[in-house]
Amino acid sequence: MAHFWINDEVHGAKARQVHADSYVIEDEYIHFLDEDERKVMSIRKDIAFLIQRSDG
């Protein structure tokens, strides 16, 4: 599993974090998935300006 930072240090955007294995973009959403490809969290694309991954 990796640690994903969403909008970390993006001025004016709410920062979020999630532990997931990967993510996919589908229609209007970004879905963060675990190792079995189950959705851990979903967010709308229009609020995600920056996604950073750190392993471990």
Side-chain angles (χ1 to χ4, degrees):
M1 292 280 248
H3 195 109
F4 288 92
W5 295 92
I6 304 152
N7 297 335
D8 188 37
E9 297 183 22
V10 175
H11 181 71
K14 182 177 179 182
R16 301 165 193 259
Q17 58 185 337
V18 62
H19 290 279
D21 192 56
S22 61
Y23 69 91
V24 296
I25 299 171
E26 185 177 275
D27 298 321
E28 297 297 314
Y29 289 89
I30 300 170
H31 304 290
F32 292 88
L33 310 173
D34 67 9
E35 60 274 353
D36 296 322
E37 297 188 3
R38 294 178 295 202
K39 292 178 187 172
V40 175
M41 183 175 93
S42 297
I43 60 171
R44 291 185 55 84
K45 283 192 317 188
D46 60 352
I47 66 165
F49 301 104
L50 175 67
I51 298 175
Q52 298 168 296
R53 176 186 173 128
S54 61
D55 293 317

